[in-house]
Amino acid sequence: MSYYDRVTPYLAYTRLLPAYFETCFDLGAINNDYPIQIVSTGLKDILIPINSNDALHELAPDFDQIKKISETYDVVGTHLFTLEDDRIICRNFAPLYDIDEESATGTSNAALASYLYEHNFLRRDTYVFEQGYALNSPSEILVRIEGDSEHQVEKVFVGGRGYFSEVKELEI
């Protein structure tokens, strides 16, 4: 188990409307109880709440449209999440950087932990994020938050466990 220290998060004041994403995927999947917001712990992502685990995994994202949105808002991509039965399940799309979907995203989950903590949607010292199931490459990303007396995030630490899944050779 190892952690690395991230910068203090930046929560953008501008909240984005669900309608901005109508060309990216089914708007009916978006959970309107939480704001769509740009957050950064080093790299900016758009955090998008989704209604359920089923809705999250049934999404058919339009990667070309997500790429356009990413360019418009100067972000790496979109980080979609759902809170279900004390679990936090995520999917991350970054086609602007030729990553249609990523199985483990430390900076995005650090940003999501900060968002959940500061908005008091789910305030914990340590978060466990599940990601990669849609790719058959499941991962758990651990994020530890240190906050001040007013519940503002002061430090974010990201970590997890690693294992070998395959070996590849690269000729240069």
Side-chain angles (χ1 to χ4, degrees):
M1 176 75 62
S2 64
Y3 281 96
Y4 66 93
D5 189 359
R6 300 296 314 152
V7 298
T8 302
Y10 164 74
L11 278 70
Y13 292 105
T14 304
R15 293 183 180 181
L16 306 177
L17 298 173
Y20 296 167
F21 303 93
E22 69 183 339
T23 59
C24 298
F25 42 79
D26 177 20
L27 291 182
I30 294 177
N31 184 338
N32 294 308
D33 293 339
Y34 305 95
I36 297 171
Q37 195 167 14
I38 297 171
V39 181
S40 172
T41 55
L43 300 171
K44 293 189 293 185
D45 278 301
I46 302 172
L47 303 182
I48 303 174
I50 302 297
N51 286 319
S52 68
N53 187 26
D54 289 340
L56 180 67
H57 287 92
E58 289 170 3
L59 287 174
D62 183 323
F63 297 118
D64 290 332
Q65 293 301 318
I66 293 171
K67 186 175 183 177
K68 288 178 187 176
I69 291 277
S70 299
E71 289 172 333
T72 298
Y73 290 101
D74 189 29
V75 298
V76 171
T78 57
H79 194 64
L80 289 67
F81 69 96
T82 189
L83 307 174
E84 192 166 285
D85 297 329
D86 204 35
R87 296 169 57 208
I88 310 166
I89 307 138
C90 307
R91 292 182 74 184
N92 187 281
F93 307 118
L96 183 62
Y97 293 91
D98 294 324
I99 304 169
D100 286 344
E101 183 165 359
E102 193 163 0
S103 63
T105 319
T107 55
S108 299
N109 284 304
L112 179 53
S114 301
Y115 163 96
L116 294 170
Y117 186 90
E118 286 202 358
H119 285 303
N120 197 22
F121 296 136
L122 181 63
R123 189 166 286 151
R124 298 178 174 169
D125 293 330
T126 302
Y127 296 83
V128 179
F129 297 97
E130 299 175 26
Q131 191 177 329
Y133 288 90
L135 300 171
N136 292 318
S137 183
S139 62
E140 284 188 347
I141 298 96
L142 306 175
V143 178
R144 189 168 51 88
I145 298 283
E146 288 183 6
D148 64 18
S149 61
E150 296 178 13
H151 300 294
Q152 298 296 307
V153 175
E154 290 186 322
K155 286 192 174 189
V156 182
F157 301 87
V158 179
R161 294 176 181 89
Y163 61 91
F164 285 105
S165 62
E166 64 183 293
V167 176
K168 291 188 177 188
E169 288 187 32
L170 177 66
E171 277 189 46
I172 299 178

